């Protein structure tokens, strides 16, 4: 998988051992990251971006890697996250296969790939790994912590574990805990991978790779990342030309099926199946309520109290952004974040956007997300 | 599969050959049905129910089969579809494995199961088969035609092909054509079955049955049949007791996962995979716009024109019911049906219901659907 680590990637070693939340520890683990802009002498202009499940640390082009990044329209000189003003850091999640240590890495204790010997991964582990990058880069306090999707969970975990680590926070299409619809979707994605005989209990290789399972998982992902509304206008009932249609019984016939297939092809063999399983499950496990200092056992109450504690813990200004058409991290979840932070005294806004593109809107609807993010940062 | 045909099932032979819309013909095919109540001497009290993908003809208990049916709360003496007043017929869809001829039936030309030798199945074929049942039972004109889900498509096809066959029509969580989100979901369900090595190009048996593929397909179905809102309240983040949790890596842990698993177990080996593929694809293909007599090629325009023609073709009163939380057949699709019928002069109402249960609400939210259906029938 090493060929899919962007060439501009840098690494920071984690403390060894690095103790994991649910038990076990990592030895010689490291976190991949990239940076843009310059850290001001007072260290006050740093922004950290924590990502969704699949992105690497290459959020945008840089001198070391001029290829466009996954958030190219958002990060750069004069862009909404303006690298002329801000020193921007993006980390690849712990547990990923895009540079940071994860289940596809070599286990130094055995000399073989971890596979399922990797310890259980929690969102909190990724948050603590990201915090170590912040510390190592000499950033005393982040001006802003930005988390997208799974990264929205990581950001909340980081704020809960390290009060005061950020002055501002933008939570984009994130959630304070996983709810059953998204758990069900992710559980089914994992089941597709696990059912693929080539997965083989996590022991596969380039020659035996669970391609069918990953294809199913990715297609189901793409279905839940976008929205029916967008697809009605984009694909309608348009059929494939006869030369692109599929001769297999029940094969591809509609444009929307071809679109899913193309997405799946770009993903399989570029993402490690075990890393996918670990990261996916970490989202199901995440519940900010576990960080509540006086847990009462009621999930809603504990989540609100934990968010209020974050809002009272040195976070000055926050914004939770979501879109109406997101079925995976629905709008109520961003509203819950903003309300919870506000209950703790933080100046926290809830910004629902009318993007048709669903959960992935922050990647593509820059017309709406650009001004929202840029405006927040301008007032910091 | 014969053991899963309800004991009260009756059959009506289709004309032989029965010509299929997309080519090919069936010989010696038949349709399974059940009835409740008595046909009035003037024949004016007949109601036909056409179903979703999976139900059999046993909508409710009867003298021949006292087991509760799939719409038990809705059909019976004194119930919303009151069998003291109405003569109710429910047909099992052509192409199903619950009694009607389908891919799991014996092909009389070869003496073997049809499997993929079954001709391509369209919603219109199911509609024409249902119309033959109506004719054979001596029903000159239906008082009301009721179609749920896929049955909503079947009902529209029937009304388009046989103008005047019904005086009233209730379309429940139906659609005038398949849109890309539902096509994507069904395509992925079919892919899960096709990818299962045990499917074997449609040639399986009781010993080699594509259980994994059917499990995936059914779970994805259940996810899209219900709603996130319902599950938030019903399952939240509740975990399984340790004795019910799964020891497999990445196995079941949350209640919602166990719920999906239980649904899948009740479905697999009780539904024929090839029948599933054929019926599922017939929904993707369905577009009422193909029935427009002056097709312009624009899907929206043609669909509206075809619906208006139905509304002008002897249908007196109609109602399209849907629910806000349906992601598979979203509310706009029922609104489109009502508006289209109304444009043709039919007295057609659109009734959006605030059920939290999603697409399947008509099966469970009898408190809302009962009065809606009963009220419509009372005014007929």
């Amino acid at each position: 998988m090493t060929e899919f680590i962007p060439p501009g990637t840098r690494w920071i070693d984690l403390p060894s051992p690095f103790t994991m939340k649910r038990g076990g520890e990592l030895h010689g683990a490291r976190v991949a990251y990239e940076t843009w802009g310059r850290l001001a002498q007072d260290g006050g202009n740093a922004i950290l971006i924590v990502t969704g499940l699949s992105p690497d640390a290459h959020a945008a082009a840089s001198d070391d890697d001029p290829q466009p990044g996954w958030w190219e329209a958002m990060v750069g000189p004069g862009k909404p996250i303006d690298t002329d003003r801000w020193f921007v850091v993006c980390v690849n999640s712990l547990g990923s296969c895009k540079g940071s240590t994860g289940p596809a890495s070599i286990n130094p204790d055995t000399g073989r790939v971890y596979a399922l010997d990797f310890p259980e991964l929690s969102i909190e582990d990724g948050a603590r790994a990201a915090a170590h990058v912040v510390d190592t880069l000499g950033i005393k306090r982040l001006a802003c912590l930005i988390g997208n999707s799974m990264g929205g969970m990581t950001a909340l975990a980081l704020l809960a574990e390290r009060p005061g680590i950020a002055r501002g926070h933008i939570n984009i299409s994130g959630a304070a805990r996983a709810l059953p619809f998204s758990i069900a979707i992710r559980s089914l994605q994992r089941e597709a991978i696990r059912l693929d005989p080539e997965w083989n209990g996590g022991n596969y290789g380039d020659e035996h790779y669970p391609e069918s399972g990953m294809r199913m998982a990715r297609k189901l992902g793409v279905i839940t990342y976008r929205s029916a509304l967008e697809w009605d206008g984009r694909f309608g009932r348009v059929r494939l030309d006869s030369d692109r249609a599929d001769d297999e019984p029940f094969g591809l016939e509609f444009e929307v099926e071809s679109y899913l297939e193309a997405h799946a092809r770009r993903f399989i063999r570029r993402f490690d199946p075990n890393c996918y399983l670990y990261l996916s499950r970490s989202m199901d496990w995440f519940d900010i309520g576990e960080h509540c200092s006086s847990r009462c056992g009621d999930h809603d109450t504990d989540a609100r109290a934990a968010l209020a504690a974050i809002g009272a813990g040195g976070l000055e200004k926050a914004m939770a952004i979501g879109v109406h058409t997101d079925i995976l991290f629905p709008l109520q979840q961003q509203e819950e974040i903003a309300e919870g932070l506000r209950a703790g005294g933080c100046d926290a806004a809830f910004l629902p956007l009318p993007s048709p593109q669903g959960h992935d809107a922050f990647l593509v609807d820059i017309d709406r997300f650009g001004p929202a993010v840029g405006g927040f940062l301008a007032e910091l």
Side-chain angles (χ1 to χ4, degrees), chain A residues 199-232:
Chain A
W199 179 61
N200 188 30
N203 299 302
Y204 46 81
D206 284 346
E207 278 143 59
H208 294 278
Y209 173 100
E211 202 167 301
S212 299
M214 287 293 277
R215 173 181 288 113
M216 290 291 300
R218 183 58 170 176
K219 287 188 178 181
L220 182 51
V222 173
I223 290 175
T224 56
Y225 297 157
R226 311 300 290 220
S227 88
L229 181 66
E230 179 197 9
W231 287 1
D232 288 350

Tab-separated table of all heavy atoms in Angstrom, chain A residues 199-232:
chain	number	residue	atom	x	y	z
A	199	TRP	N	-10.905	-12.045	2.344
A	199	TRP	CA	-10.512	-11.316	3.554
A	199	TRP	C	-9.754	-12.269	4.491
A	199	TRP	O	-8.765	-11.884	5.122
A	199	TRP	CB	-11.740	-10.720	4.265
A	199	TRP	CG	-11.365	-9.990	5.521
A	199	TRP	CD1	-10.553	-8.894	5.624
A	199	TRP	CD2	-11.767	-10.306	6.861
A	199	TRP	NE1	-10.433	-8.517	6.948
A	199	TRP	CE2	-11.162	-9.369	7.716
A	199	TRP	CE3	-12.575	-11.299	7.428
A	199	TRP	CZ2	-11.339	-9.380	9.109
A	199	TRP	CZ3	-12.768	-11.314	8.801
A	199	TRP	CH2	-12.147	-10.374	9.628
A	200	ASN	N	-10.272	-13.477	4.596
A	200	ASN	CA	-9.526	-14.559	5.256
A	200	ASN	C	-9.136	-14.201	6.690
A	200	ASN	O	-7.967	-14.366	7.085
A	200	ASN	CB	-8.281	-14.867	4.391
A	200	ASN	CG	-7.535	-16.100	4.859
A	200	ASN	OD1	-8.140	-17.021	5.410
A	200	ASN	ND2	-6.223	-16.101	4.658
A	201	GLY	N	-10.093	-13.707	7.451
A	201	GLY	CA	-9.799	-13.366	8.849
A	201	GLY	C	-8.756	-12.264	8.991
A	201	GLY	O	-8.066	-12.180	10.014
A	202	GLY	N	-8.636	-11.447	7.973
A	202	GLY	CA	-7.687	-10.331	8.030
A	202	GLY	C	-6.333	-10.642	7.430
A	202	GLY	O	-5.470	-9.767	7.333
A	203	ASN	N	-6.150	-11.894	7.016
A	203	ASN	CA	-4.856	-12.305	6.465
A	203	ASN	C	-4.931	-12.454	4.948
A	203	ASN	O	-5.196	-13.537	4.423
A	203	ASN	CB	-4.416	-13.631	7.101
A	203	ASN	CG	-4.255	-13.487	8.597
A	203	ASN	OD1	-3.470	-12.658	9.067
A	203	ASN	ND2	-5.024	-14.271	9.346
A	204	TYR	N	-4.750	-11.343	4.275
A	204	TYR	CA	-4.772	-11.327	2.811
A	204	TYR	C	-3.469	-10.692	2.349
A	204	TYR	O	-2.635	-10.298	3.171
A	204	TYR	CB	-5.975	-10.515	2.313
A	204	TYR	CG	-6.125	-9.220	3.043
A	204	TYR	CD1	-5.366	-8.102	2.705
A	204	TYR	CD2	-6.985	-9.116	4.146
A	204	TYR	CE1	-5.465	-6.916	3.420
A	204	TYR	CE2	-7.084	-7.933	4.866
A	204	TYR	CZ	-6.323	-6.842	4.498
A	204	TYR	OH	-6.408	-5.679	5.211
A	205	GLY	N	-3.309	-10.589	1.059
A	205	GLY	CA	-2.132	-9.926	0.512
A	205	GLY	C	-2.514	-9.304	-0.808
A	205	GLY	O	-3.696	-9.281	-1.160
A	206	ASP	N	-1.570	-8.807	-1.544
A	206	ASP	CA	-1.899	-8.194	-2.822
A	206	ASP	C	-2.514	-9.210	-3.777
A	206	ASP	O	-3.348	-8.864	-4.617
A	206	ASP	CB	-0.639	-7.580	-3.460
A	206	ASP	CG	-0.271	-6.262	-2.762
A	206	ASP	OD1	-1.119	-5.740	-2.019
A	206	ASP	OD2	0.860	-5.794	-2.951
A	207	GLU	N	-2.095	-10.473	-3.661
A	207	GLU	CA	-2.654	-11.481	-4.569
A	207	GLU	C	-4.044	-11.941	-4.129
A	207	GLU	O	-4.854	-12.349	-4.946
A	207	GLU	CB	-1.719	-12.685	-4.676
A	207	GLU	CG	-0.586	-12.444	-5.660
A	207	GLU	CD	0.721	-13.068	-5.197
A	207	GLU	OE1	0.748	-14.289	-4.992
A	207	GLU	OE2	1.693	-12.298	-5.001
A	208	HIS	N	-4.256	-11.939	-2.836
A	208	HIS	CA	-5.584	-12.300	-2.330
A	208	HIS	C	-6.096	-11.123	-1.531
A	208	HIS	O	-5.761	-10.963	-0.365
A	208	HIS	CB	-5.515	-13.549	-1.452
A	208	HIS	CG	-5.116	-14.769	-2.218
A	208	HIS	ND1	-6.002	-15.500	-2.961
A	208	HIS	CD2	-3.906	-15.338	-2.401
A	208	HIS	CE1	-5.363	-16.497	-3.547
A	208	HIS	NE2	-4.090	-16.425	-3.232
A	209	TYR	N	-6.858	-10.300	-2.188
A	209	TYR	CA	-7.370	-9.066	-1.589
A	209	TYR	C	-8.890	-9.128	-1.672
A	209	TYR	O	-9.434	-9.516	-2.716
A	209	TYR	CB	-6.808	-7.872	-2.378
A	209	TYR	CG	-7.355	-6.521	-2.004
A	209	TYR	CD1	-6.624	-5.664	-1.171
A	209	TYR	CD2	-8.571	-6.073	-2.503
A	209	TYR	CE1	-7.106	-4.404	-0.844
A	209	TYR	CE2	-9.057	-4.812	-2.168
A	209	TYR	CZ	-8.328	-3.981	-1.339
A	209	TYR	OH	-8.808	-2.731	-1.024
A	210	PRO	N	-9.607	-8.782	-0.593
A	210	PRO	CA	-11.083	-8.898	-0.609
A	210	PRO	C	-11.740	-7.801	-1.460
A	210	PRO	O	-12.398	-6.892	-0.948
A	210	PRO	CB	-11.457	-8.770	0.867
A	210	PRO	CG	-10.350	-7.990	1.485
A	210	PRO	CD	-9.101	-8.343	0.717
A	211	GLU	N	-11.571	-7.958	-2.752
A	211	GLU	CA	-12.017	-6.925	-3.679
A	211	GLU	C	-13.547	-6.798	-3.708
A	211	GLU	O	-14.075	-5.686	-3.722
A	211	GLU	CB	-11.480	-7.274	-5.076
A	211	GLU	CG	-11.412	-6.082	-5.991
A	211	GLU	CD	-10.585	-6.367	-7.246
A	211	GLU	OE1	-9.383	-6.713	-7.114
A	211	GLU	OE2	-11.146	-6.253	-8.345
A	212	SER	N	-14.224	-7.929	-3.712
A	212	SER	CA	-15.697	-7.880	-3.747
A	212	SER	C	-16.246	-7.199	-2.505
A	212	SER	O	-17.159	-6.367	-2.589
A	212	SER	CB	-16.279	-9.290	-3.832
A	212	SER	OG	-15.856	-9.927	-4.990
A	213	GLY	N	-15.697	-7.559	-1.357
A	213	GLY	CA	-16.172	-6.968	-0.114
A	213	GLY	C	-15.916	-5.471	-0.071
A	213	GLY	O	-16.780	-4.691	0.349
A	214	MET	N	-14.726	-5.069	-0.510
A	214	MET	CA	-14.404	-3.644	-0.512
A	214	MET	C	-15.263	-2.890	-1.519
A	214	MET	O	-15.659	-1.745	-1.291
A	214	MET	CB	-12.914	-3.441	-0.808
A	214	MET	CG	-12.004	-3.827	0.348
A	214	MET	SD	-12.184	-2.751	1.813
A	214	MET	CE	-11.117	-1.365	1.339
A	215	ARG	N	-15.572	-3.542	-2.643
A	215	ARG	CA	-16.434	-2.894	-3.635
A	215	ARG	C	-17.808	-2.620	-3.038
A	215	ARG	O	-18.347	-1.525	-3.155
A	215	ARG	CB	-16.562	-3.771	-4.875
A	215	ARG	CG	-17.592	-3.228	-5.867
A	215	ARG	CD	-17.752	-4.094	-7.101
A	215	ARG	NE	-16.603	-3.983	-7.962
A	215	ARG	CZ	-15.742	-4.956	-8.218
A	215	ARG	NH1	-15.936	-6.154	-7.682
A	215	ARG	NH2	-14.731	-4.765	-9.018
A	216	MET	N	-18.371	-3.646	-2.379
A	216	MET	CA	-19.688	-3.478	-1.747
A	216	MET	C	-19.647	-2.382	-0.687
A	216	MET	O	-20.536	-1.532	-0.618
A	216	MET	CB	-20.124	-4.795	-1.086
A	216	MET	CG	-20.476	-5.927	-2.018
A	216	MET	SD	-21.993	-5.621	-2.932
A	216	MET	CE	-23.143	-5.460	-1.558
A	217	ALA	N	-18.615	-2.431	0.153
A	217	ALA	CA	-18.508	-1.468	1.253
A	217	ALA	C	-18.431	-0.046	0.698
A	217	ALA	O	-19.092	0.876	1.192
A	217	ALA	CB	-17.293	-1.779	2.117
A	218	ARG	N	-17.619	0.130	-0.336
A	218	ARG	CA	-17.437	1.465	-0.890
A	218	ARG	C	-18.708	1.970	-1.571
A	218	ARG	O	-19.092	3.128	-1.427
A	218	ARG	CB	-16.269	1.478	-1.874
A	218	ARG	CG	-15.958	2.843	-2.451
A	218	ARG	CD	-15.639	3.862	-1.376
A	218	ARG	NE	-15.123	5.105	-1.928
A	218	ARG	CZ	-14.835	6.176	-1.197
A	218	ARG	NH1	-14.992	6.159	0.106
A	218	ARG	NH2	-14.365	7.259	-1.771
A	219	LYS	N	-19.360	1.083	-2.313
A	219	LYS	CA	-20.596	1.516	-2.980
A	219	LYS	C	-21.651	1.935	-1.958
A	219	LYS	O	-22.322	2.958	-2.134
A	219	LYS	CB	-21.141	0.399	-3.875
A	219	LYS	CG	-20.329	0.186	-5.140
A	219	LYS	CD	-21.027	-0.792	-6.080
A	219	LYS	CE	-20.225	-0.946	-7.369
A	219	LYS	NZ	-20.881	-1.863	-8.327
A	220	LEU	N	-21.779	1.144	-0.904
A	220	LEU	CA	-22.749	1.506	0.135
A	220	LEU	C	-22.339	2.829	0.779
A	220	LEU	O	-23.191	3.671	1.086
A	220	LEU	CB	-22.840	0.387	1.175
A	220	LEU	CG	-23.833	0.583	2.310
A	220	LEU	CD1	-25.215	0.940	1.806
A	220	LEU	CD2	-23.893	-0.679	3.173
A	221	GLY	N	-21.029	3.016	0.953
A	221	GLY	CA	-20.546	4.292	1.475
A	221	GLY	C	-20.961	5.443	0.577
A	221	GLY	O	-21.569	6.420	1.034
A	222	VAL	N	-20.682	5.323	-0.702
A	222	VAL	CA	-20.980	6.430	-1.629
A	222	VAL	C	-22.486	6.726	-1.635
A	222	VAL	O	-22.902	7.884	-1.658
A	222	VAL	CB	-20.449	6.117	-3.042
A	222	VAL	CG1	-20.901	7.184	-4.033
A	222	VAL	CG2	-18.922	6.023	-3.027
A	223	ILE	N	-23.309	5.676	-1.581
A	223	ILE	CA	-24.759	5.889	-1.540
A	223	ILE	C	-25.142	6.754	-0.342
A	223	ILE	O	-25.989	7.646	-0.447
A	223	ILE	CB	-25.520	4.534	-1.487
A	223	ILE	CG1	-25.404	3.808	-2.829
A	223	ILE	CG2	-26.978	4.732	-1.111
A	223	ILE	CD1	-26.020	2.407	-2.834
A	224	THR	N	-24.487	6.524	0.801
A	224	THR	CA	-24.854	7.280	2.005
A	224	THR	C	-24.087	8.595	2.125
A	224	THR	O	-24.416	9.423	2.960
A	224	THR	CB	-24.624	6.445	3.280
A	224	THR	OG1	-23.246	6.015	3.314
A	224	THR	CG2	-25.512	5.230	3.298
A	225	TYR	N	-23.049	8.774	1.320
A	225	TYR	CA	-22.302	10.046	1.368
A	225	TYR	C	-22.971	11.131	0.529
A	225	TYR	O	-22.711	12.302	0.717
A	225	TYR	CB	-20.870	9.873	0.834
A	225	TYR	CG	-19.989	8.935	1.612
A	225	TYR	CD1	-18.882	8.334	1.019
A	225	TYR	CD2	-20.254	8.635	2.948
A	225	TYR	CE1	-18.066	7.469	1.733
A	225	TYR	CE2	-19.443	7.765	3.656
A	225	TYR	CZ	-18.346	7.181	3.041
A	225	TYR	OH	-17.544	6.315	3.740
A	226	ARG	N	-23.759	10.731	-0.451
A	226	ARG	CA	-24.406	11.730	-1.311
A	226	ARG	C	-25.903	11.754	-0.971
A	226	ARG	O	-26.289	11.338	0.098
A	226	ARG	CB	-24.156	11.390	-2.789
A	226	ARG	CG	-22.702	11.107	-3.111
A	226	ARG	CD	-21.772	12.290	-2.802
A	226	ARG	NE	-21.956	13.392	-3.698
A	226	ARG	CZ	-20.966	14.127	-4.205
A	226	ARG	NH1	-19.698	13.831	-3.902
A	226	ARG	NH2	-21.220	15.156	-4.976
A	227	SER	N	-26.726	12.254	-1.862
A	227	SER	CA	-28.153	12.323	-1.530
A	227	SER	C	-29.015	11.997	-2.737
A	227	SER	O	-28.629	12.199	-3.886
A	227	SER	CB	-28.509	13.712	-1.003
A	227	SER	OG	-28.857	14.570	-2.061
A	228	ALA	N	-30.214	11.497	-2.406
A	228	ALA	CA	-31.185	11.166	-3.448
A	228	ALA	C	-31.508	12.399	-4.283
A	228	ALA	O	-31.609	12.330	-5.506
A	228	ALA	CB	-32.456	10.598	-2.811
A	229	LEU	N	-31.628	13.528	-3.601
A	229	LEU	CA	-31.977	14.781	-4.284
A	229	LEU	C	-30.934	15.116	-5.354
A	229	LEU	O	-31.263	15.450	-6.502
A	229	LEU	CB	-32.047	15.908	-3.246
A	229	LEU	CG	-32.428	17.292	-3.769
A	229	LEU	CD1	-33.861	17.287	-4.267
A	229	LEU	CD2	-32.251	18.347	-2.679
A	230	GLU	N	-29.644	15.044	-4.973
A	230	GLU	CA	-28.584	15.347	-5.931
A	230	GLU	C	-28.667	14.393	-7.129
A	230	GLU	O	-28.559	14.802	-8.278
A	230	GLU	CB	-27.216	15.203	-5.262
A	230	GLU	CG	-26.065	15.481	-6.222
A	230	GLU	CD	-24.726	14.958	-5.709
A	230	GLU	OE1	-24.700	14.226	-4.702
A	230	GLU	OE2	-23.710	15.266	-6.351
A	231	TRP	N	-28.872	13.110	-6.836
A	231	TRP	CA	-28.845	12.103	-7.898
A	231	TRP	C	-30.035	12.198	-8.843
A	231	TRP	O	-29.920	11.846	-10.018
A	231	TRP	CB	-28.752	10.705	-7.277
A	231	TRP	CG	-27.388	10.427	-6.721
A	231	TRP	CD1	-26.326	11.267	-6.704
A	231	TRP	CD2	-26.948	9.211	-6.113
A	231	TRP	NE1	-25.242	10.650	-6.118
A	231	TRP	CE2	-25.597	9.393	-5.754
A	231	TRP	CE3	-27.560	7.987	-5.846
A	231	TRP	CZ2	-24.847	8.390	-5.129
A	231	TRP	CZ3	-26.813	6.991	-5.225
A	231	TRP	CH2	-25.475	7.186	-4.873
A	232	ASP	N	-31.188	12.655	-8.308
A	232	ASP	CA	-32.346	12.824	-9.189
A	232	ASP	C	-31.976	13.770	-10.333
A	232	ASP	O	-32.267	13.498	-11.495
A	232	ASP	CB	-33.535	13.408	-8.419
A	232	ASP	CG	-34.150	12.395	-7.462
A	232	ASP	OD1	-33.786	11.209	-7.533
A	232	ASP	OD2	-34.986	12.804	-6.639
